[in-house]
Amino acid sequence: MEIKHDQLRSVTLVDLVEKKILDYIKKNKLGPGASIPGEVELTDTLQVGRSVIREALSRLRMLGIIESRTRRGMVLSEPAVMENLDKMINPYMLKERSVLDLIEFRISLDIGICDQIFDNITQQDIKDLEKIVKEQPALGGNRYAVESEHAFHRKLYEIPNNEIIKGFQAILLPLFNYVNEHFDEFAPFFAQKKKVISHKDLLNYLKKGDREGYRKAMMQDLKPYAEFVKSKKATPSFS
């Protein structure tokens, strides 16, 4: 685990120590509850100051990867993956490339969970979606108020009964706000749509049990976002 001096050029010493500890955990295939070396042992092994070790360990504690236990020292814990991602993913704090990549990820996720939705949907889910659709006024085309978008898609992501999928949906919700606030830039791509897909249309496919129809409709619904991302990434200034 020793750190070489030529590794210090592009990252901080704390970064390297944090990585070394994570590499140690992965190499030894340690899971929740497993003990890891203490501050003194890490200081001797990595040949760095104790303050550096403490800062690296503090970072891992903040991520929920390690915790201190009485008479056992430091042990691994299961990190709250979604909570950590939620803290980091904010479209207003990210570079354009990251925002566009997130939009593409959301497109892939919305289409990718089609089968899980049909495999798990219940009559109660249908009733919940009917209520959401009935109460949401459209702003024109397939545009809805942000709250309405949130409610409809949040319900769709609950149906697969997968906490990770549901967690990603919550993290990606700010993209709705981002699109809404930058709609002038997105508008030409919505104007190109040959067919408008409404939430009511998607619901009808669900009620009929038409998987392929739903998948195609979802792809059509998300096409303006995909075309927008493709256009932005194709510009000469994009990097």
Side-chain angles (χ1 to χ4, degrees), residues 127-168:
K127 290 180 181 178
D128 292 342
L129 286 167
E130 286 177 331
K131 185 173 185 294
I132 293 169
V133 169
K134 183 179 180 180
E135 295 176 351
Q136 56 180 202
L139 300 180
N142 72 335
R143 292 187 64 216
Y144 297 90
V146 172
E147 294 78 10
S148 296
E149 282 280 4
H150 286 191
F152 186 82
H153 287 273
R154 184 186 300 115
K155 182 59 191 178
L156 289 179
Y157 276 71
E158 288 176 358
I159 295 171
N161 194 27
N162 183 302
E163 291 302 315
I164 298 296
I165 290 176
K166 188 164 63 174
F168 268 119

Side-chain angles (χ1 to χ4, degrees), residues 2 13 22 28 43 46 49 51 83 89 110 117 145-147 153 169 193 219 234:
E2 183 180 355
L13 190 54
L22 290 172
N28 291 278
T43 299
L46 298 176
S51 61
E83 288 183 17
I89 297 180
D110 277 2
I117 288 175
V146 172
E147 294 78 10
H153 287 273
Q169 189 269 348
K193 295 187 70 168
M219 291 174 66

Side-chain angles (χ1 to χ4, degrees), residues 166-180:
K166 188 164 63 174
F168 268 119
Q169 189 269 348
I171 290 170
L172 295 175
L173 276 180
L175 290 176
F176 285 113
N177 303 64
Y178 184 87
V179 172
N180 194 55

Side-chain angles (χ1 to χ4, degrees), residues 25-39:
I25 293 169
K26 293 175 184 177
K27 181 180 178 180
N28 291 278
K29 299 179 180 179
L30 303 179
S35 297
I36 64 170
E39 288 183 12

Side-chain angles (χ1 to χ4, degrees), residues 103 106-114 118 142 153 156 189-190 193-198 201-202 205 210-228:
I103 293 174
R106 186 215 146 188
I107 293 170
S108 298
L109 192 56
D110 277 2
I111 296 172
I113 64 172
C114 289
F118 277 87
N142 72 335
H153 287 273
L156 289 179
F189 297 89
F190 280 92
K193 295 187 70 168
K194 296 180 180 180
K195 181 181 179 181
V196 173
I197 303 296
S198 68
D201 293 327
L202 293 173
Y205 284 114
D210 185 351
R211 293 186 187 225
E212 193 56 32
Y214 177 88
R215 193 189 313 274
K216 289 180 179 179
M218 182 62 76
M219 291 174 66
Q220 180 68 25
D221 184 46
L222 296 170
K223 188 175 181 180
Y225 299 93
E227 291 296 325
F228 172 79

Side-chain angles (χ1 to χ4, degrees), residues 6 12 30 60 64 76 95 141 148 161 178 181 209 231-232 239:
D6 61 0
T12 68
L30 303 179
L60 297 178
L76 296 183
K95 292 182 179 179
S148 296
N161 194 27
Y178 184 87
E181 291 184 12
S231 173
K232 293 290 286 185
S239 60

Side-chain angles (χ1 to χ4, degrees), residues 65-99:
I65 295 174
I66 64 172
E67 61 181 342
S68 298
R69 291 188 184 175
T70 305
R71 292 190 292 276
R72 285 201 60 192
M74 290 182 297
V75 300
L76 296 183
S77 56
E78 183 177 3
V81 178
M82 292 299 107
E83 288 183 17
N84 289 328
L85 284 175
D86 190 34
K87 294 174 184 176
M88 294 182 286
I89 297 180
N90 181 334
Y92 307 100
M93 293 169 53
L94 300 174
K95 292 182 179 179
E96 183 179 79
R97 174 60 187 249
S98 297
V99 172

